[in-house]
Amino acid sequence: MAQKVRKAVFPVAGLGTRFLPATKAIPKEMLTVVDRPVIQYAVEEARAAGIEEFIFVSGRGKTSLIEHFDHSFELTQTLMARGKTKELEDLQRWLPDPGQVVTTRQHLPMGLGHAVLCAKRAVGNEPFAVILPDDLVLSQTPCLKQMVEAWEEVGGALVAVQEVPRHQTRRYGVLNIDHDYGKLISVRGLVEKPAPEVAPSTLSIIGRYILPPEVFGHLETTERGAGGEIQLTDGMVKLIGQTPFHGYRFEGKRYDCGDRFGFLEANLAFGLAREDVAPALRRIVSELFN
Ligand code: G1P
């Protein structure tokens, strides 16, 4: 029987320096888009894709993230006593069951590849997803669910990709394309944060991956790369030729919530996509322009 993707890794150890002063005392993943923290979107997306275990690679000052997914006896009791059934049901709907959240720590800020490597023991010998919570995707079908369905056909490694303007390639892992099949792209190589002049294409990785466990062995021997960090991209490159490796053009729009403008845009876009928020938000925005 084909293996199932049951576990997802959430690298959440980053300092969020691009978002100071907001992130001085609170984790960037706890910043709110409309009415829930960024990390909650990521966890809900994973759950919608059939993920059963959520592995947080965390760091210092990130306790509130773990608290957010913990059951709060006092809150439950208070909501019950006050007859707030709707709030209680909402809470139960997204809270993971006891034991579904696993945390590990990245002791040193050595890059995304190193963060994923810190989840090696928790993942074990099975395929797994990686979700970078900064990248929010607004789509009909949750992005990771789309990917799991595609991965069940092709296996190996699958990374979400989108076209970016050439002058932005320095922000992304970029594909060297072997063959473009439309939704799927077979990959010949990958380069982390190339200069526009040397980028092999403009098809860039966004923060959703499905990877085979063999990537851990490769990450263990990966040297520091772009920015002096151990890059996930450099570890993944070594899978090419050993396992099928594809880019996946997902349906939906990605917002970079690690950036203040991307974050503002995400608040508007996610608000406008919600029936309970859109009418008031539309009114507020149009009033601002009058
Ligand atoms: C990371 C990855 C990069 C990827 C990007 C997507 O970069 O290293 O390959 O394209 O996420 O958001 P970061 O944004 O952490 O610099």
Side-chain angles (χ1 to χ4, degrees):
M1 200 185 82
Q3 268 186 306
K4 202 174 163 288
V5 186
R6 299 186 307 127
K7 300 184 178 183
V9 174
F10 301 83
V12 291
L15 291 175
T17 48
R18 281 197 288 157
F19 225 129
L20 282 166
T23 49
K24 183 163 175 291
I26 60 162
K28 61 177 174 161
E29 298 82 6
M30 286 302 287
L31 295 176
T32 318
V33 169
V34 187
D35 58 2
R36 62 199 63 175
V38 165
I39 187 67
Q40 191 177 327
Y41 289 92
V43 167
E44 288 194 48
E45 181 182 327
R47 184 179 247 187
I51 298 296
E52 296 160 9
E53 198 168 311
F54 311 93
I55 303 165
F56 288 3
V57 182
S58 171
R60 288 175 65 81
K62 298 277 181 166
T63 336
S64 58
L65 270 170
I66 315 302
E67 295 263 322
H68 186 70
F69 293 99
D70 193 6
H71 288 250
S72 162
F73 177 75
E74 297 86 343
L75 184 59
T76 309
Q77 291 299 309
T78 310
L79 291 176
M80 270 165 67
R82 295 190 183 160
K84 299 210 173 223
T85 9
K86 182 169 178 309
E87 286 79 355
L88 200 58
E89 276 168 19
D90 280 352
L91 204 64
Q92 308 296 3
R93 186 182 53 75
W94 60 262
L95 261 185
D97 294 334
Q100 280 194 306
V101 173
V102 172
T103 66
T104 177
R105 288 209 169 204
Q106 184 185 22
H107 298 283
L108 293 165
M110 283 169 66
L112 180 59
H114 179 254
V116 171
L117 183 55
C118 292
K120 180 183 170 189
R121 280 170 188 276
V123 169
N125 193 26
E126 59 181 281
F128 64 103
V130 177
I131 295 191
L132 308 187
D134 278 0
D135 283 335
L136 277 197
V137 181
L138 188 57
S139 54
Q140 294 288 328
T141 306
C143 183
L144 190 64
K145 186 172 196 301
Q146 299 176 41
M147 290 177 71
V148 165
E149 283 165 9
W151 180 85
E152 282 168 355
E153 302 292 318
V154 292
L158 190 70
V159 295
V161 293
Q162 66 172 16
E163 293 287 351
V164 302
R166 185 162 276 276
H167 67 90
Q168 288 181 3
T169 55
R170 246 187 250 278
R171 296 189 202 165
Y172 299 95
V174 176
L175 265 53
N176 186 346
I177 298 169
D178 173 41
H179 192 84
D180 194 337
Y181 297 95
K183 262 201 146 1
L184 285 168
I185 303 103
S186 64
V187 175
R188 172 180 307 166
L190 300 166
V191 191
E192 181 66 12
K193 301 194 167 64
E197 318 79 81
V198 295
S201 78
T202 50
L203 208 51
S204 303
I205 302 173
I206 72 125
R208 303 286 182 279
Y209 311 75
I210 298 178
L211 298 171
E214 288 74 25
V215 76
F216 291 122
H218 296 315
L219 285 169
E220 274 165 350
T221 57
T222 297
E223 305 281 330
R224 288 172 189 263
E229 297 186 333
I230 296 175
Q231 297 291 349
L232 179 57
T233 303
D234 297 341
M236 292 192 305
V237 162
K238 302 180 195 166
L239 292 168
I240 299 170
Q242 297 186 342
T243 180
F245 201 119
H246 293 92
Y248 178 76
R249 283 194 180 90
F250 57 98
E251 166 274 314
K253 185 162 162 42
R254 168 256 187 178
Y255 298 89
D256 178 6
C257 285
D259 169 88
R260 62 196 73 196
F261 295 111
F263 177 76
L264 286 172
E265 198 186 359
N267 266 286
L268 290 171
F270 277 75
L272 290 172
R274 286 241 317 245
E275 274 175 23
D276 59 333
V277 176
L281 182 56
R282 245 190 227 105
R283 198 178 56 247
I284 293 165
V285 173
S286 75
E287 278 170 16
L288 283 174
F289 287 102
N290 285 323

